[in-house]
């Protein structure tokens, strides 16, 4: 029994030596789940993994620090925006964020990205269902505050 516990500790020792922090943010844009939302993230030394839920949407993604001064990050973001007057929209994007006070500090961050939106629309016309699939490139913007 003790050998199994010792083996478990040795295998996962390197995982526990990394410092991780829980981060809460609020903002507007796809990284925050749409119109306005909350983002919950696990931040490691040079990366951050997040999930977000917002008004009419949900999102997940990751960011990776790309500069030594810790203000610039690149990442990926995907999610779904729920449609009220239209069908739901799925998206995936490559993102760039600028952290005004640094990646590891509280403060504002602004970002942009290039992505693809996909929507399956269906309408009924004279009792016949017509389906239309739309896939479009798009430019996204995000602004938020990290606590």
């Amino acid at each position: 029994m003790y050998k199994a516990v010792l083996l478990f500790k040795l295998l996962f020792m390197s995982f526990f030596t990394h410092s991780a922090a829980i981060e809460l943010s609020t903002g507007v844009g796809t990284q925050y789940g749409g119109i306005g939302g909350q983002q919950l993230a696990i931040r490691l030394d040079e990366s951050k993994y997040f999930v977000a839920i917002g008004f009419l949407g949900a999102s997940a993604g990751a960011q990776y620090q790309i500069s030594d001064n810790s203000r610039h990050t690149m990442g990926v973001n995907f999610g779904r925006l729920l449609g009220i007057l239209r069908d739901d929209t799925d998206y995936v994007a490559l993102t760039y964020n600028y952290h005004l006070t640094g990646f590891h500090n509280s403060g504002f961050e602004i970002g942009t990205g290039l992505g693809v939106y996909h929507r399956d629309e269906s309408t009924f016309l004279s009792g016949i269902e017509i389906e239309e699939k739309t896939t479009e490139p798009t430019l996204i913007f995000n602004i938020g505050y990290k606590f």
Side-chain angles (χ1 to χ4, degrees):
M1 177 67 175
Y2 294 112
K3 290 180 184 179
V5 171
L6 179 62
L7 180 62
F8 179 78
K9 285 183 179 181
L10 289 174
L11 287 174
F12 292 100
M13 187 179 298
S14 64
F15 176 76
F16 294 116
T17 60
H18 294 288
S19 62
I22 301 295
E23 185 177 272
L24 183 64
S25 304
T26 187
V28 176
T30 58
Q31 292 180 7
Y32 299 94
I35 295 172
Q38 300 290 316
Q39 184 186 91
L40 179 66
I42 296 175
R43 190 185 69 231
L44 302 174
D45 292 333
E46 296 182 359
S47 61
K48 167 172 120 169
Y49 306 93
F50 64 87
V51 294
I53 188 159
F55 182 68
L56 302 177
S59 177
Q63 292 180 7
Y64 303 96
Q65 189 176 328
I66 59 170
S67 69
D68 292 334
N69 70 5
S70 78
R71 293 181 188 261
H72 306 276
T73 59
M74 294 289 290
V76 64
N77 176 225
F78 60 92
R80 173 171 281 190
L81 299 173
L82 304 176
I84 295 177
L85 301 174
R86 306 178 85 175
D87 290 334
D88 296 346
T89 302
D90 298 323
Y91 61 88
V92 63
L94 296 175
T95 61
Y96 165 79
N97 283 13
Y98 181 77
H99 302 261
L100 275 66
T101 58
F103 182 65
H104 298 285
N105 302 323
S106 296
F108 283 98
E109 64 178 276
I110 56 174
T112 187
L114 294 172
V116 176
Y117 278 96
H118 177 77
R119 182 181 303 117
D120 292 331
E121 296 187 53
S122 57
T123 58
F124 287 95
L125 183 62
S126 300
I128 301 171
E129 183 177 5
I130 300 171
E131 290 190 21
E132 182 180 336
K133 296 183 181 198
T134 306
T135 302
E136 301 173 349
T138 189
L139 181 64
I140 61 170
F141 296 99
N142 301 286
I143 185 166
Y145 186 83
K146 297 183 294 185
F147 297 101

